[in-house]
Short mmCIF file of all heavy atoms in Angstrom, two decimals:
data_model
loop_
_atom_site.label_atom_id
_atom_site.label_comp_id
_atom_site.label_asym_id
_atom_site.label_seq_id
_atom_site.Cartn_x
_atom_site.Cartn_y
_atom_site.Cartn_z
N MET G 1 88.73 109.11 106.73
CA MET G 1 88.83 107.91 105.93
C MET G 1 89.92 107.01 106.51
O MET G 1 91.02 107.44 106.80
CB MET G 1 89.18 108.30 104.49
CG MET G 1 89.26 107.14 103.58
SD MET G 1 89.52 107.74 101.89
CE MET G 1 89.77 106.23 101.09
N ARG G 2 89.59 105.74 106.69
CA ARG G 2 90.54 104.79 107.25
C ARG G 2 91.51 104.32 106.19
O ARG G 2 91.15 104.14 105.03
CB ARG G 2 89.78 103.61 107.82
CG ARG G 2 88.82 104.02 108.92
CD ARG G 2 88.26 102.85 109.53
NE ARG G 2 89.33 102.34 110.41
CZ ARG G 2 89.13 101.53 111.40
NH1 ARG G 2 87.94 101.08 111.65
NH2 ARG G 2 90.10 101.11 112.16
N ARG G 3 92.75 104.15 106.60
CA ARG G 3 93.76 103.66 105.67
C ARG G 3 93.68 102.15 105.58
O ARG G 3 93.34 101.46 106.55
CB ARG G 3 95.14 104.07 106.12
CG ARG G 3 95.34 105.56 106.01
CD ARG G 3 96.74 105.92 106.31
NE ARG G 3 96.98 105.76 107.74
CZ ARG G 3 98.14 105.95 108.31
NH1 ARG G 3 99.18 106.29 107.60
NH2 ARG G 3 98.29 105.80 109.61
N LEU G 4 94.01 101.63 104.41
CA LEU G 4 93.99 100.19 104.20
C LEU G 4 95.14 99.51 104.92
O LEU G 4 94.99 98.45 105.51
CB LEU G 4 94.04 99.88 102.69
CG LEU G 4 93.97 98.42 102.32
CD1 LEU G 4 92.66 97.81 102.77
CD2 LEU G 4 94.15 98.25 100.83
N ILE G 5 96.30 100.15 104.88
CA ILE G 5 97.48 99.60 105.53
C ILE G 5 97.96 100.59 106.57
O ILE G 5 98.15 101.76 106.28
CB ILE G 5 98.60 99.33 104.51
CG1 ILE G 5 98.14 98.30 103.49
CG2 ILE G 5 99.87 98.88 105.21
CD1 ILE G 5 99.12 98.08 102.36
N VAL G 6 98.17 100.09 107.79
CA VAL G 6 98.67 100.93 108.87
C VAL G 6 100.13 100.54 109.11
O VAL G 6 100.43 99.38 109.38
CB VAL G 6 97.85 100.73 110.15
CG1 VAL G 6 98.41 101.56 111.28
CG2 VAL G 6 96.39 101.07 109.89
N LEU G 7 101.02 101.49 108.98
CA LEU G 7 102.43 101.23 109.18
C LEU G 7 102.82 101.52 110.63
O LEU G 7 102.23 102.38 111.28
CB LEU G 7 103.26 102.10 108.24
CG LEU G 7 103.06 101.81 106.75
CD1 LEU G 7 103.85 102.80 105.92
CD2 LEU G 7 103.50 100.39 106.42
N PRO G 8 103.82 100.81 111.14
CA PRO G 8 104.26 101.03 112.52
C PRO G 8 104.82 102.45 112.68
O PRO G 8 105.36 103.03 111.73
CB PRO G 8 105.35 99.99 112.73
CG PRO G 8 105.23 99.04 111.62
CD PRO G 8 104.53 99.70 110.51
N THR G 9 104.74 102.95 113.88
CA THR G 9 105.25 104.29 114.16
C THR G 9 106.45 104.27 115.08
O THR G 9 107.05 105.31 115.33
CB THR G 9 104.16 105.16 114.80
OG1 THR G 9 103.69 104.52 115.96
CG2 THR G 9 103.00 105.38 113.83
N SER G 10 106.81 103.09 115.60
CA SER G 10 107.94 103.02 116.52
C SER G 10 108.97 102.03 116.00
O SER G 10 108.70 101.23 115.10
CB SER G 10 107.47 102.59 117.91
OG SER G 10 106.99 101.27 117.86
N ARG G 11 110.13 102.08 116.59
CA ARG G 11 111.19 101.15 116.20
C ARG G 11 110.79 99.71 116.55
O ARG G 11 111.05 98.79 115.78
CB ARG G 11 112.49 101.52 116.91
CG ARG G 11 113.64 100.67 116.44
CD ARG G 11 114.86 100.88 117.27
NE ARG G 11 115.43 102.20 117.04
CZ ARG G 11 116.49 102.63 117.68
NH1 ARG G 11 117.08 101.86 118.56
NH2 ARG G 11 116.98 103.81 117.44
N ALA G 12 110.16 99.52 117.69
CA ALA G 12 109.72 98.19 118.09
C ALA G 12 108.68 97.66 117.11
O ALA G 12 108.68 96.47 116.76
CB ALA G 12 109.16 98.22 119.50
N GLY G 13 107.79 98.54 116.67
CA GLY G 13 106.78 98.13 115.70
C GLY G 13 107.39 97.70 114.38
O GLY G 13 106.98 96.69 113.79
N TRP G 14 108.37 98.46 113.92
CA TRP G 14 109.05 98.07 112.67
C TRP G 14 109.79 96.76 112.86
O TRP G 14 109.81 95.91 111.96
CB TRP G 14 110.00 99.17 112.22
CG TRP G 14 109.29 100.27 111.50
CD1 TRP G 14 108.99 101.51 111.99
CD2 TRP G 14 108.74 100.21 110.18
NE1 TRP G 14 108.30 102.22 111.04
CE2 TRP G 14 108.14 101.46 109.92
CE3 TRP G 14 108.71 99.24 109.19
CZ2 TRP G 14 107.50 101.75 108.72
CZ3 TRP G 14 108.08 99.52 107.99
CH2 TRP G 14 107.48 100.77 107.77
N GLY G 15 110.40 96.57 114.01
CA GLY G 15 111.10 95.31 114.27
C GLY G 15 110.15 94.12 114.26
O GLY G 15 110.47 93.07 113.70
N LEU G 16 108.99 94.31 114.85
CA LEU G 16 107.99 93.23 114.84
C LEU G 16 107.48 92.96 113.43
O LEU G 16 107.28 91.81 113.05
CB LEU G 16 106.84 93.58 115.77
CG LEU G 16 107.15 93.49 117.25
CD1 LEU G 16 106.01 94.06 118.07
CD2 LEU G 16 107.41 92.05 117.64
N LEU G 17 107.27 94.02 112.66
CA LEU G 17 106.81 93.83 111.28
C LEU G 17 107.85 93.07 110.47
O LEU G 17 107.51 92.12 109.74
CB LEU G 17 106.51 95.19 110.63
CG LEU G 17 106.09 95.11 109.16
CD1 LEU G 17 104.75 94.39 109.03
CD2 LEU G 17 106.01 96.50 108.55
N ILE G 18 109.11 93.45 110.61
CA ILE G 18 110.18 92.76 109.88
C ILE G 18 110.28 91.30 110.33
O ILE G 18 110.43 90.39 109.51
CB ILE G 18 111.51 93.50 110.08
CG1 ILE G 18 111.45 94.84 109.34
CG2 ILE G 18 112.69 92.67 109.60
CD1 ILE G 18 112.59 95.78 109.68
N ALA G 19 110.16 91.05 111.64
CA ALA G 19 110.22 89.68 112.14
C ALA G 19 109.06 88.84 111.60
O ALA G 19 109.26 87.69 111.19
CB ALA G 19 110.20 89.68 113.67
N PHE G 20 107.87 89.43 111.58
CA PHE G 20 106.72 88.68 111.10
C PHE G 20 106.82 88.40 109.60
O PHE G 20 106.54 87.28 109.15
CB PHE G 20 105.43 89.42 111.43
CG PHE G 20 104.20 88.59 111.27
CD1 PHE G 20 103.89 87.61 112.19
CD2 PHE G 20 103.37 88.76 110.19
CE1 PHE G 20 102.78 86.81 112.04
CE2 PHE G 20 102.25 87.98 110.03
CZ PHE G 20 101.96 87.00 110.96
N VAL G 21 107.25 89.37 108.83
CA VAL G 21 107.42 89.16 107.38
C VAL G 21 108.50 88.10 107.12
O VAL G 21 108.35 87.24 106.26
CB VAL G 21 107.74 90.49 106.67
CG1 VAL G 21 108.16 90.25 105.23
CG2 VAL G 21 106.53 91.42 106.71
N ALA G 22 109.59 88.15 107.91
CA ALA G 22 110.65 87.15 107.76
C ALA G 22 110.13 85.75 108.07
O ALA G 22 110.48 84.78 107.38
CB ALA G 22 111.82 87.49 108.66
N LEU G 23 109.27 85.64 109.07
CA LEU G 23 108.71 84.33 109.41
C LEU G 23 107.77 83.83 108.32
O LEU G 23 107.75 82.65 107.99
CB LEU G 23 107.97 84.40 110.74
CG LEU G 23 108.88 84.47 111.96
CD1 LEU G 23 108.07 84.76 113.21
CD2 LEU G 23 109.65 83.18 112.10
N VAL G 24 106.99 84.74 107.75
CA VAL G 24 106.09 84.35 106.66
C VAL G 24 106.92 83.89 105.46
O VAL G 24 106.62 82.87 104.83
CB VAL G 24 105.15 85.50 106.28
CG1 VAL G 24 104.41 85.19 104.99
CG2 VAL G 24 104.16 85.76 107.40
N LEU G 25 108.00 84.63 105.16
CA LEU G 25 108.86 84.24 104.04
C LEU G 25 109.57 82.91 104.33
O LEU G 25 109.85 82.15 103.40
CB LEU G 25 109.88 85.33 103.75
CG LEU G 25 109.31 86.62 103.16
CD1 LEU G 25 110.39 87.66 103.00
CD2 LEU G 25 108.61 86.35 101.84
N ALA G 26 109.87 82.63 105.59
CA ALA G 26 110.51 81.36 105.95
C ALA G 26 109.60 80.17 105.69
O ALA G 26 110.06 79.05 105.59
CB ALA G 26 110.93 81.39 107.41
N GLY G 27 108.32 80.42 105.57
CA GLY G 27 107.37 79.34 105.31
C GLY G 27 106.98 79.23 103.85
O GLY G 27 106.06 78.48 103.52
N THR G 28 107.65 79.94 102.97
CA THR G 28 107.30 79.89 101.55
C THR G 28 108.30 79.06 100.76
O THR G 28 109.29 78.57 101.31
CB THR G 28 107.22 81.31 100.95
OG1 THR G 28 108.47 81.95 101.14
CG2 THR G 28 106.11 82.11 101.61
N TRP G 29 108.07 78.93 99.51
CA TRP G 29 108.76 77.99 98.65
C TRP G 29 110.29 77.99 98.69
O TRP G 29 110.86 76.92 98.89
CB TRP G 29 108.29 78.17 97.19
CG TRP G 29 109.13 77.42 96.24
CD1 TRP G 29 109.17 76.06 96.06
CD2 TRP G 29 110.13 77.96 95.40
NE1 TRP G 29 110.12 75.73 95.15
CE2 TRP G 29 110.72 76.89 94.72
CE3 TRP G 29 110.57 79.24 95.15
CZ2 TRP G 29 111.73 77.09 93.80
CZ3 TRP G 29 111.57 79.43 94.24
CH2 TRP G 29 112.13 78.36 93.57
N PRO G 30 110.98 79.07 98.50
CA PRO G 30 112.45 78.91 98.41
C PRO G 30 113.05 78.31 99.67
O PRO G 30 113.95 77.48 99.59
CB PRO G 30 112.96 80.34 98.19
CG PRO G 30 111.79 81.14 97.81
CD PRO G 30 110.59 80.46 98.34
N VAL G 31 112.56 78.69 100.82
CA VAL G 31 113.12 78.18 102.07
C VAL G 31 112.63 76.76 102.31
O VAL G 31 113.40 75.89 102.75
CB VAL G 31 112.74 79.11 103.25
CG1 VAL G 31 113.28 78.58 104.55
CG2 VAL G 31 113.25 80.52 102.97
N ILE G 32 111.39 76.51 102.01
CA ILE G 32 110.84 75.16 102.19
C ILE G 32 111.61 74.16 101.33
O ILE G 32 111.87 73.03 101.73
CB ILE G 32 109.34 75.14 101.84
CG1 ILE G 32 108.55 75.96 102.85
CG2 ILE G 32 108.79 73.72 101.78
CD1 ILE G 32 108.58 75.42 104.25
N GLY G 33 112.03 74.60 100.14
CA GLY G 33 112.83 73.71 99.28
C GLY G 33 114.15 73.31 99.92
O GLY G 33 114.65 72.22 99.69
N LEU G 34 114.71 74.20 100.73
CA LEU G 34 115.96 73.88 101.42
C LEU G 34 115.73 72.92 102.58
O LEU G 34 116.60 72.11 102.91
CB LEU G 34 116.61 75.16 101.95
CG LEU G 34 117.05 76.18 100.89
CD1 LEU G 34 117.50 77.46 101.57
CD2 LEU G 34 118.15 75.60 100.03
N VAL G 35 114.57 73.00 103.20
CA VAL G 35 114.29 72.20 104.40
C VAL G 35 113.68 70.85 104.05
O VAL G 35 113.76 69.91 104.82
CB VAL G 35 113.33 72.99 105.33
CG1 VAL G 35 112.97 72.20 106.56
CG2 VAL G 35 113.97 74.30 105.73
N ASN G 36 113.11 70.73 102.88
CA ASN G 36 112.41 69.52 102.48
C ASN G 36 113.40 68.41 102.14
O ASN G 36 113.79 68.20 101.00
CB ASN G 36 111.52 69.82 101.27
CG ASN G 36 110.56 68.69 100.99
OD1 ASN G 36 110.43 67.78 101.79
ND2 ASN G 36 109.90 68.75 99.86
N ARG G 37 113.85 67.71 103.17
CA ARG G 37 114.80 66.61 103.04
C ARG G 37 114.27 65.40 103.80
O ARG G 37 113.44 65.52 104.68
CB ARG G 37 116.15 66.99 103.62
CG ARG G 37 116.80 68.12 102.91
CD ARG G 37 118.13 68.40 103.54
NE ARG G 37 118.69 69.60 102.93
CZ ARG G 37 119.60 70.34 103.51
NH1 ARG G 37 120.05 70.01 104.69
NH2 ARG G 37 120.06 71.41 102.92
N ALA G 38 114.82 64.25 103.47
CA ALA G 38 114.43 63.03 104.17
C ALA G 38 115.29 62.87 105.42
O ALA G 38 116.07 61.94 105.55
CB ALA G 38 114.58 61.83 103.25
N THR G 39 115.14 63.80 106.34
CA THR G 39 115.92 63.79 107.58
C THR G 39 114.95 63.80 108.76
O THR G 39 113.95 64.52 108.75
CB THR G 39 116.80 65.06 107.66
OG1 THR G 39 117.62 65.13 106.50
CG2 THR G 39 117.66 65.04 108.91
N LEU G 40 115.26 62.99 109.76
CA LEU G 40 114.43 62.95 110.96
C LEU G 40 115.10 63.74 112.08
O LEU G 40 116.30 63.65 112.31
CB LEU G 40 114.21 61.52 111.43
CG LEU G 40 113.37 60.62 110.51
CD1 LEU G 40 113.30 59.21 111.09
CD2 LEU G 40 111.98 61.19 110.32
N VAL G 41 114.30 64.57 112.76
CA VAL G 41 114.77 65.32 113.92
C VAL G 41 113.85 64.94 115.08
O VAL G 41 112.64 65.21 115.04
CB VAL G 41 114.70 66.84 113.68
CG1 VAL G 41 115.13 67.61 114.93
CG2 VAL G 41 115.54 67.21 112.47
N MET G 42 114.40 64.27 116.08
CA MET G 42 113.63 63.79 117.23
C MET G 42 112.45 62.93 116.76
O MET G 42 111.35 63.01 117.30
CB MET G 42 113.14 64.94 118.09
CG MET G 42 114.27 65.73 118.74
SD MET G 42 113.74 67.02 119.86
CE MET G 42 112.91 68.14 118.79
N GLY G 43 112.65 62.15 115.71
CA GLY G 43 111.62 61.25 115.21
C GLY G 43 110.62 61.89 114.28
O GLY G 43 109.71 61.22 113.79
N LEU G 44 110.77 63.17 114.01
CA LEU G 44 109.85 63.86 113.10
C LEU G 44 110.60 64.29 111.85
O LEU G 44 111.79 64.64 111.91
CB LEU G 44 109.27 65.11 113.78
CG LEU G 44 108.37 64.88 114.98
CD1 LEU G 44 108.05 66.22 115.65
CD2 LEU G 44 107.10 64.20 114.55
N PRO G 45 109.91 64.31 110.72
CA PRO G 45 110.57 64.81 109.51
C PRO G 45 110.98 66.27 109.68
O PRO G 45 110.31 67.05 110.38
CB PRO G 45 109.50 64.68 108.43
CG PRO G 45 108.54 63.68 108.96
CD PRO G 45 108.58 63.80 110.44
N LEU G 46 112.08 66.64 109.05
CA LEU G 46 112.61 68.00 109.19
C LEU G 46 111.59 69.05 108.76
O LEU G 46 111.50 70.12 109.37
CB LEU G 46 113.88 68.14 108.34
CG LEU G 46 114.61 69.47 108.42
CD1 LEU G 46 115.04 69.78 109.85
CD2 LEU G 46 115.82 69.46 107.50
N MET G 47 110.77 68.72 107.76
CA MET G 47 109.75 69.66 107.29
C MET G 47 108.71 69.94 108.38
O MET G 47 108.27 71.09 108.54
CB MET G 47 109.05 69.07 106.07
CG MET G 47 108.07 69.96 105.43
SD MET G 47 108.97 71.07 104.41
CE MET G 47 107.78 71.36 103.16
N VAL G 48 108.33 68.95 109.14
CA VAL G 48 107.35 69.12 110.22
C VAL G 48 107.96 69.96 111.35
O VAL G 48 107.32 70.86 111.89
CB VAL G 48 106.87 67.75 110.75
CG1 VAL G 48 106.00 67.91 111.98
CG2 VAL G 48 106.13 67.00 109.65
N VAL G 49 109.21 69.68 111.68
CA VAL G 49 109.89 70.45 112.73
C VAL G 49 110.00 71.92 112.30
O VAL G 49 109.78 72.83 113.10
CB VAL G 49 111.28 69.85 113.03
CG1 VAL G 49 112.07 70.73 113.99
CG2 VAL G 49 111.14 68.44 113.58
N TRP G 50 110.33 72.15 111.04
CA TRP G 50 110.42 73.52 110.52
C TRP G 50 109.06 74.22 110.63
O TRP G 50 108.99 75.39 111.03
CB TRP G 50 110.90 73.49 109.07
CG TRP G 50 111.09 74.84 108.48
CD1 TRP G 50 110.33 75.44 107.52
CD2 TRP G 50 112.12 75.77 108.80
NE1 TRP G 50 110.81 76.68 107.24
CE2 TRP G 50 111.92 76.92 108.01
CE3 TRP G 50 113.19 75.75 109.69
CZ2 TRP G 50 112.74 78.02 108.08
CZ3 TRP G 50 114.01 76.86 109.75
CH2 TRP G 50 113.78 77.97 108.95
N SER G 51 108.00 73.52 110.28
CA SER G 51 106.66 74.10 110.37
C SER G 51 106.32 74.47 111.81
O SER G 51 105.78 75.54 112.07
CB SER G 51 105.61 73.12 109.84
OG SER G 51 105.86 72.82 108.49
N TYR G 52 106.65 73.57 112.76
CA TYR G 52 106.40 73.87 114.17
C TYR G 52 107.19 75.10 114.62
O TYR G 52 106.68 75.94 115.35
CB TYR G 52 106.73 72.68 115.05
CG TYR G 52 105.74 71.55 115.00
CD1 TYR G 52 106.13 70.25 115.22
CD2 TYR G 52 104.40 71.78 114.73
CE1 TYR G 52 105.23 69.21 115.18
CE2 TYR G 52 103.49 70.75 114.68
CZ TYR G 52 103.92 69.46 114.91
OH TYR G 52 103.01 68.44 114.86
N LEU G 53 108.44 75.18 114.18
CA LEU G 53 109.26 76.33 114.56
C LEU G 53 108.65 77.63 114.05
O LEU G 53 108.62 78.64 114.77
CB LEU G 53 110.68 76.16 114.01
CG LEU G 53 111.57 75.17 114.74
CD1 LEU G 53 112.90 75.01 114.01
CD2 LEU G 53 111.81 75.62 116.16
N ILE G 54 108.18 77.63 112.82
CA ILE G 54 107.58 78.84 112.26
C ILE G 54 106.32 79.21 113.02
O ILE G 54 106.10 80.38 113.35
CB ILE G 54 107.31 78.66 110.76
CG1 ILE G 54 108.64 78.61 110.00
CG2 ILE G 54 106.43 79.78 110.23
CD1 ILE G 54 108.50 78.31 108.54
N ILE G 55 105.49 78.23 113.31
CA ILE G 55 104.24 78.51 114.03
C ILE G 55 104.52 79.08 115.42
O ILE G 55 103.96 80.10 115.82
CB ILE G 55 103.37 77.24 114.12
CG1 ILE G 55 102.85 76.87 112.74
CG2 ILE G 55 102.23 77.42 115.12
CD1 ILE G 55 102.23 75.51 112.65
N PHE G 56 105.42 78.43 116.17
CA PHE G 56 105.73 78.92 117.52
C PHE G 56 106.43 80.28 117.48
O PHE G 56 106.21 81.12 118.36
CB PHE G 56 106.55 77.90 118.29
CG PHE G 56 105.74 76.69 118.68
CD1 PHE G 56 106.14 75.43 118.29
CD2 PHE G 56 104.58 76.83 119.42
CE1 PHE G 56 105.39 74.32 118.64
CE2 PHE G 56 103.83 75.72 119.78
CZ PHE G 56 104.23 74.46 119.38
N ALA G 57 107.26 80.51 116.48
CA ALA G 57 107.91 81.82 116.36
C ALA G 57 106.89 82.90 116.03
O ALA G 57 106.97 84.02 116.56
CB ALA G 57 108.99 81.76 115.29
N CYS G 58 105.90 82.60 115.18
CA CYS G 58 104.84 83.57 114.89
C CYS G 58 104.05 83.88 116.16
O CYS G 58 103.71 85.04 116.41
CB CYS G 58 103.90 83.05 113.80
SG CYS G 58 104.56 83.12 112.14
N VAL G 59 103.75 82.86 116.95
CA VAL G 59 103.03 83.09 118.21
C VAL G 59 103.85 83.97 119.13
O VAL G 59 103.32 84.90 119.76
CB VAL G 59 102.68 81.74 118.87
CG1 VAL G 59 102.18 81.94 120.29
CG2 VAL G 59 101.66 80.99 118.04
N ALA G 60 105.16 83.72 119.21
CA ALA G 60 106.03 84.53 120.07
C ALA G 60 106.05 85.98 119.60
O ALA G 60 105.97 86.91 120.42
CB ALA G 60 107.43 83.95 120.08
N VAL G 61 106.14 86.20 118.29
CA VAL G 61 106.16 87.58 117.77
C VAL G 61 104.84 88.27 118.08
O VAL G 61 104.82 89.44 118.48
CB VAL G 61 106.45 87.57 116.25
CG1 VAL G 61 106.17 88.93 115.64
CG2 VAL G 61 107.90 87.18 116.00
N MET G 62 103.73 87.57 117.93
CA MET G 62 102.44 88.18 118.23
C MET G 62 102.28 88.47 119.73
O MET G 62 101.72 89.49 120.11
CB MET G 62 101.30 87.29 117.73
CG MET G 62 101.18 87.32 116.21
SD MET G 62 99.77 86.46 115.59
CE MET G 62 100.43 84.83 115.42
N LEU G 63 102.79 87.59 120.60
CA LEU G 63 102.74 87.85 122.03
C LEU G 63 103.58 89.07 122.40
O LEU G 63 103.15 89.90 123.21
CB LEU G 63 103.22 86.62 122.81
CG LEU G 63 102.26 85.44 122.85
CD1 LEU G 63 102.92 84.25 123.53
CD2 LEU G 63 100.98 85.81 123.54
N ILE G 64 104.75 89.18 121.80
CA ILE G 64 105.59 90.35 122.04
C ILE G 64 104.88 91.61 121.55
O ILE G 64 104.90 92.65 122.22
CB ILE G 64 106.97 90.17 121.37
CG1 ILE G 64 107.75 89.06 122.06
CG2 ILE G 64 107.76 91.48 121.40
CD1 ILE G 64 108.99 88.62 121.33
N GLY G 65 104.25 91.53 120.37
CA GLY G 65 103.51 92.67 119.84
C GLY G 65 102.38 93.08 120.77
O GLY G 65 102.17 94.27 121.03
N ASN G 66 101.64 92.11 121.29
CA ASN G 66 100.56 92.44 122.23
C ASN G 66 101.11 93.07 123.49
O ASN G 66 100.51 94.00 124.04
CB ASN G 66 99.76 91.18 122.58
CG ASN G 66 98.81 90.81 121.48
OD1 ASN G 66 98.45 91.62 120.65
ND2 ASN G 66 98.41 89.54 121.47
N HIS G 67 102.24 92.58 123.97
CA HIS G 67 102.84 93.15 125.17
C HIS G 67 103.25 94.61 124.92
O HIS G 67 103.04 95.48 125.77
CB HIS G 67 104.05 92.32 125.58
CG HIS G 67 104.75 92.83 126.78
ND1 HIS G 67 104.22 92.72 128.04
CD2 HIS G 67 105.93 93.48 126.92
CE1 HIS G 67 105.04 93.27 128.90
NE2 HIS G 67 106.09 93.73 128.24
N ILE G 68 103.82 94.88 123.74
CA ILE G 68 104.24 96.25 123.41
C ILE G 68 103.03 97.16 123.29
O ILE G 68 103.04 98.30 123.77
CB ILE G 68 105.09 96.25 122.12
CG1 ILE G 68 106.44 95.60 122.41
CG2 ILE G 68 105.26 97.66 121.59
CD1 ILE G 68 107.29 95.39 121.18
N VAL G 69 101.97 96.68 122.65
CA VAL G 69 100.77 97.50 122.49
C VAL G 69 100.15 97.81 123.85
O VAL G 69 99.75 98.95 124.11
CB VAL G 69 99.76 96.79 121.57
CG1 VAL G 69 98.40 97.47 121.63
CG2 VAL G 69 100.27 96.77 120.15
N GLU G 70 100.08 96.83 124.73
CA GLU G 70 99.52 97.07 126.06
C GLU G 70 100.38 98.01 126.88
O GLU G 70 99.88 98.84 127.62
CB GLU G 70 99.35 95.75 126.81
CG GLU G 70 98.24 94.90 126.26
CD GLU G 70 98.15 93.57 126.97
OE1 GLU G 70 98.95 93.31 127.89
OE2 GLU G 70 97.29 92.78 126.57
N ARG G 71 101.71 97.89 126.72
CA ARG G 71 102.63 98.75 127.47
C ARG G 71 102.50 100.21 127.03
O ARG G 71 102.53 101.12 127.84
CB ARG G 71 104.05 98.27 127.27
CG ARG G 71 105.07 99.06 128.06
CD ARG G 71 106.46 98.65 127.75
NE ARG G 71 106.71 99.02 126.35
CZ ARG G 71 107.69 98.57 125.62
NH1 ARG G 71 108.51 97.70 126.10
NH2 ARG G 71 107.86 98.95 124.38
N ASP G 72 102.35 100.41 125.70
CA ASP G 72 102.25 101.77 125.16
C ASP G 72 100.84 102.33 125.26
O ASP G 72 100.62 103.48 124.91
CB ASP G 72 102.71 101.80 123.71
CG ASP G 72 104.20 101.54 123.59
OD1 ASP G 72 104.91 101.66 124.61
OD2 ASP G 72 104.64 101.22 122.48
N ASP G 73 99.89 101.50 125.69
CA ASP G 73 98.49 101.92 125.85
C ASP G 73 97.88 102.40 124.55
O ASP G 73 97.21 103.42 124.48
CB ASP G 73 98.35 102.98 126.93
CG ASP G 73 96.92 103.09 127.41
OD1 ASP G 73 96.20 102.09 127.33
OD2 ASP G 73 96.55 104.18 127.89
N HIS G 74 98.15 101.65 123.46
CA HIS G 74 97.52 101.92 122.18
C HIS G 74 96.16 101.25 122.13
O HIS G 74 95.86 100.39 122.92
CB HIS G 74 98.37 101.39 121.02
CG HIS G 74 99.59 102.18 120.80
ND1 HIS G 74 100.82 101.60 120.69
CD2 HIS G 74 99.81 103.50 120.70
CE1 HIS G 74 101.73 102.52 120.51
NE2 HIS G 74 101.13 103.68 120.50
N GLU G 75 95.34 101.66 121.18
CA GLU G 75 94.03 101.03 121.00
C GLU G 75 94.16 99.77 120.20
O GLU G 75 94.91 99.60 119.36
CB GLU G 75 93.08 101.96 120.28
CG GLU G 75 92.72 103.13 121.12
CD GLU G 75 91.75 104.04 120.40
OE1 GLU G 75 91.10 103.59 119.44
OE2 GLU G 75 91.65 105.18 120.78
#
């Protein structure tokens, strides 16, 4: 029987899980309320820059995760 949730088995896996959860939480209401200001950063609203940062950080975490999975030769 397959499990619904698969937990990491290595320290790197737990680190990636924590990083990804932190990034998801960074895009939710309490943090967004702190970033939602009428401030421009490089001509863009701070909220848009924050969104770009979260998206690129998620991509980086997923790339690192793929690299770790390929290195460990997991399925």
Side-chain angles (χ1 to χ4, degrees):
M1 182 175 174
R2 300 187 77 160
R3 292 187 288 177
L4 182 62
I5 298 174
V6 178
L7 295 176
T9 57
S10 66
R11 186 188 290 178
W14 280 104
L16 287 171
L17 177 65
I18 291 169
F20 193 74
V21 170
L23 286 171
V24 169
L25 291 176
T28 58
W29 169 72
V31 179
I32 293 296
L34 296 172
V35 178
N36 192 11
R37 297 182 186 158
T39 304
L40 293 177
V41 177
M42 296 184 295
L44 295 172
L46 183 59
M47 184 81 150
V48 173
V49 173
W50 183 251
S51 300
Y52 286 151
L53 284 175
I54 290 174
I55 291 168
F56 289 123
C58 285
V59 169
V61 167
M62 287 187 272
L63 287 174
I64 292 169
N66 282 339
H67 180 72
I68 289 173
V69 168
E70 288 177 0
R71 183 186 66 196
D72 292 343
D73 199 27
H74 288 130
E75 291 181 19

